[in-house]
Amino acid sequence: MNMSTIALRTVPGAFILNSGIGKLGLDADSAAGMQGMAATGVPAVKQLSPEQFGKALAWGEIALGGALLAPFVSNRVAGLALGTFTAGMLSMYFRNDGMTESDGVRPTQDGTPLAKDTWLAAIAISLISSGKKADRKKK
């Protein structure tokens, strides 16, 4: 693993892992609020109870953060996992009218925290494509 790959994986990995650990003790009201927001991008989460959603979110973030930090997980797999997570975050951004300006792209003040997740999408793409290069070099 080279230095650029380490940087691409450790920074978001540590951040996402910490976020997941912080959500382990999420109360039902906080979980319900997050679930409502998540449902704008991923409607299927409405089927879970707030408690189930909170636990799934916490453990999902812990698993993703751990996968990014684990050197035995390939760049391609880590990138695909991060890309899936980011797609969910960005779907909330684009499907919630209050997050974007009238053009539907530029973020409002409320949308800026989610719009920042575009950086995670760029990292995911980089990890996926670097995994392909490594595979080609091995052959």
Side-chain angles (χ1 to χ4, degrees):
M1 199 179 290
N2 61 35
M3 189 58 73
S4 62
T5 301
I6 291 169
L8 287 172
R9 290 179 66 158
T10 57
V11 174
F15 185 87
I16 293 168
L17 176 63
N18 184 60
S19 178
I21 291 169
K23 288 181 177 92
L24 282 174
L26 203 60
D27 63 88
D29 289 339
S30 298
M34 289 183 182
Q35 183 181 24
M37 181 65 179
T40 64
V42 184
V45 301
K46 291 179 197 174
Q47 297 174 5
L48 301 172
S49 72
E51 293 82 8
Q52 289 173 321
F53 173 78
K55 287 181 195 258
L57 179 60
W59 286 108
E61 288 183 359
I62 290 168
L64 174 58
L68 286 164
L69 293 170
F72 56 84
V73 175
S74 72
N75 285 341
R76 195 168 190 191
V77 169
L80 288 169
L82 181 60
T84 301
F85 175 78
T86 304
M89 299 295 283
L90 292 177
S91 69
M92 287 188 295
Y93 172 72
F94 286 112
R95 290 181 180 174
N96 189 327
D97 292 335
M99 297 287 161
T100 61
E101 298 288 345
S102 60
D103 62 10
V105 177
R106 293 177 299 123
T108 61
Q109 186 87 20
D110 290 339
T112 297
L114 281 176
K116 289 180 184 175
D117 289 333
T118 55
W119 295 105
L120 293 176
I123 291 169
I125 292 166
S126 179
L127 289 172
I128 292 166
S129 65
S130 72
K132 289 179 183 176
K133 288 178 198 170
D135 290 344
R136 276 185 252 143
K137 286 180 183 177
K138 288 179 185 175
K139 291 182 180 179

